[in-house]
Amino acid sequence: MALSWFAVLAITTPLGVVAYRNGLALTPQMGWNTWNYFGCNVSESTILSAAQAIVDNGLDKYGYEYVIVDDCWHDSTRDPDTGAPRPDPTRFPNGIKAVADEVHSLGLKFGIYSDAGEYTCGGRYGSLGYEEIDAKTYASWDVDYLKYDNCFNDGQSGIPLVSFNRYANMSRALNATGRPILYSMCNWGQDGPWDWAPTIANSWRISGDIFDTFDRADDRCPCTSAIGCLLSGWHCSVMNVINKMSSLGQKAGPGIGWNDADMLEVGNGGMTKSQYIVHFSFWAILKSPLILGNDVTQMTNETLEIITNDAIIAINQDASGSPASRIWVVNVTGGELQLWAGSLSTGATVIGLLNSSPTDQTIDLKMADVFIDSSAQVKTAKYRLYDLWQRSSSNDTVWGKDIGVVSGEVPGVSLAPQSCLI
Amino acid sequence: MALSWFAVLAITTPLGVVAYRNGLALTPQMGWNTWNYFGCNVSESTILSAAQAIVDNGLDKYGYEYVIVDDCWHDSTRDPDTGAPRPDPTRFPNGIKAVADEVHSLGLKFGIYSDAGEYTCGGRYGSLGYEEIDAKTYASWDVDYLKYDNCFNDGQSGIPLVSFNRYANMSRALNATGRPILYSMCNWGQDGPWDWAPTIANSWRISGDIFDTFDRADDRCPCTSAIGCLLSGWHCSVMNVINKMSSLGQKAGPGIGWNDADMLEVGNGGMTKSQYIVHFSFWAILKSPLILGNDVTQMTNETLEIITNDAIIAINQDASGSPASRIWVVNVTGGELQLWAGSLSTGATVIGLLNSSPTDQTIDLKMADVFIDSSAQVKTAKYRLYDLWQRSSSNDTVWGKDIGVVSGEVPGVSLAPQSCLI
Amino acid sequence: MALSWFAVLAITTPLGVVAYRNGLALTPQMGWNTWNYFGCNVSESTILSAAQAIVDNGLDKYGYEYVIVDDCWHDSTRDPDTGAPRPDPTRFPNGIKAVADEVHSLGLKFGIYSDAGEYTCGGRYGSLGYEEIDAKTYASWDVDYLKYDNCFNDGQSGIPLVSFNRYANMSRALNATGRPILYSMCNWGQDGPWDWAPTIANSWRISGDIFDTFDRADDRCPCTSAIGCLLSGWHCSVMNVINKMSSLGQKAGPGIGWNDADMLEVGNGGMTKSQYIVHFSFWAILKSPLILGNDVTQMTNETLEIITNDAIIAINQDASGSPASRIWVVNVTGGELQLWAGSLSTGATVIGLLNSSPTDQTIDLKMADVFIDSSAQVKTAKYRLYDLWQRSSSNDTVWGKDIGVVSGEVPGVSLAPQSCLI
Amino acid sequence: MALSWFAVLAITTPLGVVAYRNGLALTPQMGWNTWNYFGCNVSESTILSAAQAIVDNGLDKYGYEYVIVDDCWHDSTRDPDTGAPRPDPTRFPNGIKAVADEVHSLGLKFGIYSDAGEYTCGGRYGSLGYEEIDAKTYASWDVDYLKYDNCFNDGQSGIPLVSFNRYANMSRALNATGRPILYSMCNWGQDGPWDWAPTIANSWRISGDIFDTFDRADDRCPCTSAIGCLLSGWHCSVMNVINKMSSLGQKAGPGIGWNDADMLEVGNGGMTKSQYIVHFSFWAILKSPLILGNDVTQMTNETLEIITNDAIIAINQDASGSPASRIWVVNVTGGELQLWAGSLSTGATVIGLLNSSPTDQTIDLKMADVFIDSSAQVKTAKYRLYDLWQRSSSNDTVWGKDIGVVSGEVPGVSLAPQSCLI
């Protein structure tokens, strides 16, 4: 549900900060990345087919603009003469620049991947100690985006300063190229990047790798909080990542940068539609980058419907850049109920009501909770409610279905299993 | 209640230490700061109106002497020639020194704000790397006080030594100016400043930012202990901060410095009178700086009554500088009962009995608990009890209402919801 | 049980990484070490008797190839002229090289021990500051393997970078000798070596020293997780170590290196046969090095039977090098039930079902759990099951007893106390 | 109870290590220190009276040999010309060397106090940055012992390497004087000194300051484990310290150094005789230094009886230097039952059975527990038991009362409230 018409008084003064001065990602970046679906099976055709599909499906109109090749694009060695990175000549017979040109010609932007270590996670050569030559080479290929991973980093982590220095080296190198390159840090939340990444990057991962599951606990992703997590791991579920976000929204904002909840799994088949809606909705209200991770050349209508919900995307791309905060959590059998709320630049408030349990749940939604930081006047005012996912009804608006005007509370809100209302 | 007449034997030898040698804040500093009420909306008139109101309301007579402009006083850039900071020419058309002069002419002192990072929390330029020029500039403006924040610090935290070095740079710069400038560290308790700040600062924050709530748990302030807290956050409630103080009193003292529980919210409207009394009383007995955070130009009688309780202020400003210790905590439905006690230079003992729950509570107050570190003789002696908040009765004294002489225990002490007896 | 015939689709792309470039231990190393049985009582004859027994019992045919002398081989001082280490002239009258030659002549390889500190754990001189001369000396003795311990390290630990630098010094020194020397780091899991050891070593211990007990909690081994453990200790039980491994399998692999669960206690008498089978089986599926720690000159048939189970060894040495992951844990009275699964290069899947409790347990083994990361198709396919420890029955195969074809689930699997089915 | 006659087979090989090479404290040091009783009230006469009382009471015959002046012996400033420390001329009119000479003339040794920081805990000048001049001065005063504290250390802690370097500076300075000076580190267990102090010191504190209470929980001593404790604090009870020792015994030994549980409170009046016996007994079997902290010029017979139990002292000073380990802990109402055991160089085993609760407890003492690390043969052997505190009965021996021969278990052992059997 989204609240409108009755504007919430802005409590915080908009900040003038441009912490990382490349001027990019004033709202969370959107795009597509090869990893979640293709893993190491990347090539010129993988990328160009995806770029074409993005345009053909009109995804670019919704804001998905970066086409990013993740790990394994590399030749087996660097150029022996210059030390520069080189693409795999079989997979990229025309080089990377040719791919970037083609992507640009479709009106999209092109991103690449490397690692702040000796090797990438997939075992290719990393950029540690090669920041300058690598940044220059990417710029010469007209790259617009760098995802920068964390494997095999020679112990250069453990306290913020050590991690900062390692990632700042690439930041400086990118800036020195003169080309604006969005810098997407992927250090899995180690050493609390939300505290130190804003001066060097546009976004920073806050968790180990996502897996296409809704709420499965997995020993391979042992932390339940992002704070102080010492083994980020992988196979993290959507609910694991949402819960890790619960204290971090305060650290993000326009010109500061974004908490990255990892790339989307929507369309990869491991979750139900309702679970994917939770996934996409919360990534949006948390102001995470929205980077598709499915095969965009083969999408079901269901997948398309989810990733093109323009109300949800509008919230993610709202100029206020203010991530929703979690108001409360209640444990129920097999899961949790959670209430989140966030403010928009229009004065509207976005509400996320989440049921992660496998059974129906009913709750009374109190405006005093939604506007918990606000005055009594705000808490008791009248609001018009919209349901952002019920979009086919006759009274459909830009915000979805108009639920009517409410005041005080919305009694008996029904939540299907593993679903959310936004 | 305060105990008097029957002096407690001093157990500890007064220390001769002057850890930080600027000679200031031998008792916790008192004053007023723009942030809690005005946020970034600061200007010459905001500050001068407040200064005038302080004098008009006689608050200066109670010890409130520092008038501090917090974040956002800055021009958009430093002076391009000298690198010196400059005030916003619209908000401060006469410059900062003119404001300081005016404040001084009222018999008050003037404080300013900066940040040990690239940017302030509000997105203005920080002092990291500019310590010398900034300290010199502040001194040239006749500044008496610096609040020094922690945002955007380029990862210079995580172990005490890294944080110490960053904050020590400004300490040295301030001392080098030759002007005594009270140095109020605001690193939110990161890396345990109570262990290393005494040699470089007059006070140090021990928590994330306070919010005008009594005991609301909030994901944005995730730590319940100050020790080892890795995300200080904000929206911390009064009870959250009081509990964070429970082990830290041993680290403060005259000439050593003060644990700063953050600025006061009394008068900002988010709490009941009884809750504000808890807030003010505990800040006082914990020997926190007492920095008002309300709009002093518009105060209710209730607010004035709280912030001008001279018995409470006398405890805060007692020469012994010995913060109260928590004796016990008992969980009750919806909150906690807590007993705190501390010694005064007069030999009296201050007792803080706290009920954070929403219901009435009754307890037997045992002198054996109050004097838990002392001999059997002390535990069973007779004491005269005063209630420091019941001040209007006929037998009123400097310590408040005389409750009479007690020995052994005070049975059946009643505590209203979310209140305390001091 | 091992699943075969119905190959599991490989999900992960094999990595080309050779993180530590000495080319050794592409599967976990196997061998024998003096410590668990002989402690400091080592000599030429101890080692040569063991080497001979390894050959006589045909253990070399199963892959046990490294014969390693642990601590206390040293003379009381280094060579006063060169600074080189020297063996105890009484215990090693012919020097170390003579022992290595003899071991080599038996077709085996020879390993030695030192410590990344001032002293070894047994109080001999350590290699800290002597990395170069020590590595050179070992190479001159034709040493093939170095176990490198962590005692008395002058505080050079606490963050990954400090530990990395200390262990990297020996890594560089070993590589500089030109002789391939397997580098077995023994820093007890401090500072998370799984994150930084792969670029410098072939394996890394993840826990304090094992003790010959199955599941006894012991204050001397206080951590229950390897992650963030601040006192590794010793007297760690088999179950303690298995549980510490639960999140770490993701960090190991061929060419990356191995999580070392410590040397084997099989045959040392402190556990039952069933407990030793758990011990050996889990070390195998976790891809831990398999280093015997018993007196191989005096082995019972039971001990021999366990350590020569070629199916179990084949899993350990499988080319995929993919450690099993823990799927679930259920607490039962006096212990736990656990399910682990891992993939093999043949497409088969290894299943480890563990009952650590002192009573019989029965469970339904669900294929949906075993193939928890896979598609519905994989979960419901037919599989042929083998029991790798029931090896004497008539329908015995290379994988042990053929249990038959199953689909969906195996109902009512019986687990004897403190046993496992693999 | 102590077990004798039936020697336990030594399992561990004695180590030849002399980690810190000043050759002192091959068994835990014994002596007396001013702090616990006199605090800052120290003078020549305080010390000489105590030294005389030690001799008069024959305490020196029991091993108490170091007479140590703690904090506050200092003049207000260092010598302005040389930078050397100077004693308070009023309190020490003849200087420190004269006091040391007098102490030496009584056959005792003399110790002093300083701090690895800018100031001592009592606010006098510390030795940070003055290690060389201070060590030289102490040596010139014929000092035999340095207690080296941790206050006001300018953030030089947080990781082992930083703490090590700070304390190693004084270690080097002491060694450079040529005079053997026992080096007693007092960094309150910060950064795990048991891992890195052995190469630089003779003993290291493992906790915040003790208080004269048996088991009172106190917010001023917030940690319940020594491992990873981030605020050591003070007002730690005897039980708090005993429990902190539970994993640390493995780190101590002759020539390695000792875990220091802090100075004794026996005789200071805050505990019952039975509680003081627990205190003294456990300090002894934990191989903590035994430094008296009472007023030895005024001792009750009870106090003398406790601190001169030669069997208990013999265990503390046993050449094996092997601290007892905790076998088990059982929670009972109001406290815990604990069993500890340790081996002696004679082959006997010391058993500590502890009841910290306020009520009588009865347990069956099982030899299988006492000899938990040993073979079945050892567990079922016959042992002669002695009670080391029942010393007045007719069958008294050097080990106390002979309880008789036991085998398998001692059923129905009675434990008075807050007492122990050794």
Side-chain angles (χ1 to χ4, degrees), chain C residues 327-339:
Chain C
I327 313 291
W328 49 250
V329 187
V330 179
N331 288 316
V332 293
T333 307
E336 296 170 335
L337 300 182
Q338 301 193 359
L339 174 65

Side-chain angles (χ1 to χ4, degrees), chain B residues 243-309:
Chain B
N243 283 327
K244 281 176 176 163
M245 276 288 204
S246 60
S247 295
L248 304 181
Q250 62 186 280
K251 300 293 185 175
I256 294 172
W258 310 108
N259 294 305
D260 183 350
D262 203 359
M263 300 174 295
L264 295 162
E265 293 285 0
V266 180
N268 281 333
M271 292 186 253
T272 66
K273 179 178 180 185
S274 175
Q275 293 170 341
Y276 278 137
I277 286 177
V278 171
H279 176 22
F280 191 72
S281 300
F282 273 83
W283 261 234
I285 70 172
L286 295 167
K287 313 294 183 191
S288 173
L290 297 179
I291 306 293
L292 302 169
N294 58 323
D295 181 357
V296 287
T297 66
Q298 308 184 46
M299 287 189 284
T300 63
N301 287 342
E302 179 184 302
T303 296
L304 256 177
E305 181 195 339
I306 295 172
I307 66 176
T308 61
N309 182 319

Side-chain angles (χ1 to χ4, degrees), chain A residues 2 21 25 32 70 100 110 136 152 166 201 203 213 238 244 246 250 255 262 269 274 326 332 344 398 420 422:
Chain A
R21 297 186 180 281
W32 175 86
D70 207 286
F110 179 71
K136 271 185 196 161
F152 302 112
R166 182 161 49 96
S203 66
T213 52
V238 161
K244 281 177 176 163
S246 59
Q250 62 186 279
D262 203 1
S274 175
R326 192 165 68 182
V332 294
L344 302 180
V398 63
C420 65
I422 297 278

Side-chain angles (χ1 to χ4, degrees), chain D residues 320-339:
Chain D
S320 76
S322 179
S325 295
R326 193 165 68 182
I327 312 292
W328 49 250
V329 187
V330 179
N331 289 315
V332 294
T333 306
E336 297 170 338
L337 299 181
Q338 302 192 1
L339 174 65

Side-chain angles (χ1 to χ4, degrees), chain A residues 40 118-119 121-123 152-159 162 188 190 211 216 218-220 222 230-231 233-235, chain C residues 13 15-19 21 159-161 164 194-196 198-199 227-228 246-248 250-251 256 325-326 372-373:
Chain A
C40 265
E118 285 197 42
Y119 306 95
C121 298
F152 302 112
N153 60 34
D154 289 355
Q156 294 192 26
S157 73
I159 57 171
V162 174
W188 320 324
Q190 279 189 352
F211 193 69
R216 194 178 87 200
D218 195 305
D219 279 325
R220 290 167 288 190
L230 291 177
L231 198 155
W234 63 350
H235 284 244
Chain C
T13 309
L15 306 179
V17 67
V18 180
R21 297 186 181 279
I159 57 169
L161 191 55
F164 175 86
W194 41 84
D195 273 337
W196 48 263
T199 49
I227 305 167
S246 60
S247 295
L248 305 181
Q250 62 185 280
K251 299 293 186 175
I256 294 172
S325 295
R326 192 165 68 181
I372 195 163
D373 294 339

Side-chain angles (χ1 to χ4, degrees), chain C residues 4 53 231 302 334 361 389 411:
Chain C
S4 169
L231 197 155
E302 180 185 301
Q361 300 287 342
W389 284 104

Side-chain angles (χ1 to χ4, degrees), chain A residues 64-81:
Chain A
Y64 300 99
E65 68 177 329
Y66 290 100
V67 175
I68 305 151
V69 56
D70 207 286
D71 204 355
C72 306
W73 56 265
H74 315 67
D75 197 4
S76 58
T77 59
R78 291 173 173 277
D79 185 301
D81 297 326

